[in-house]
Amino acid sequence: MSVVEQYARAHIVTTDADIPEDEHEAAVPVVLRYDPDADPRSVRVGLPGTHEWTLSRTLLEQGLRTPAGSGEVRVWPCGRVQAVVEFHSAHGVSVVQFESKTLVRFLRRTYTATERVAG
């Protein structure tokens, strides 16, 4: 199966100490990645620097409609056009705001990639 990788921009609303202060609240490049061979149920979100988070593809999808998640990752809709992903670590919390359509497009691509192989 092929890896789905999508580059996007997101706003880092609050963050742990490892992301530079000048990237807070500015639109920053983010990499969304899905590797069905490594883990068909998970997606990865790569933040600036070495931050990469893994979360359930189902959690991301649910969080676009209603608040979802617990523990290290939470996702919820923010108005009609945005979604928030909250990452918790020992260093603190990173709150990242995406355009919902970016995440929907990415999820569609992950399901399309899975269907091509299964079909």
Side-chain angles (χ1 to χ4, degrees):
M1 285 190 218
S2 61
V3 173
V4 174
E5 193 168 85
Q6 181 173 314
Y7 295 89
R9 298 198 62 77
H11 291 275
I12 297 177
V13 180
T14 62
T15 187
D16 63 34
D18 292 340
I19 295 178
E21 188 71 32
D22 62 340
E23 293 180 350
H24 296 197
E25 294 196 33
V28 297
V30 175
V31 179
L32 304 170
R33 185 174 295 119
Y34 172 67
D35 184 349
D37 291 332
D39 186 353
R41 292 181 299 264
S42 297
V43 296
R44 293 180 160 303
V45 177
L47 300 178
T50 59
H51 294 271
E52 187 170 81
W53 291 87
T54 301
L55 63 144
S56 159
R57 187 166 61 159
T58 303
L59 170 64
L60 182 58
E61 187 174 8
Q62 288 173 346
L64 292 173
R65 294 185 307 272
T66 186
S70 62
E72 292 183 349
V73 181
R74 297 178 183 134
V75 183
W76 66 89
C78 181
R80 297 177 63 102
V81 297
Q82 306 223 334
V84 173
V85 183
E86 183 178 275
F87 303 102
H88 293 255
S89 73
H91 302 287
V93 178
S94 293
V95 178
V96 183
Q97 190 173 38
F98 290 88
E99 286 190 18
S100 297
K101 68 181 179 182
T102 298
L103 299 176
V104 168
R105 187 179 314 121
F106 171 68
L107 285 168
R108 273 194 204 127
R109 290 181 63 209
T110 68
Y111 286 112
T112 299
T114 305
E115 289 169 3
R116 262 187 257 145
V117 173

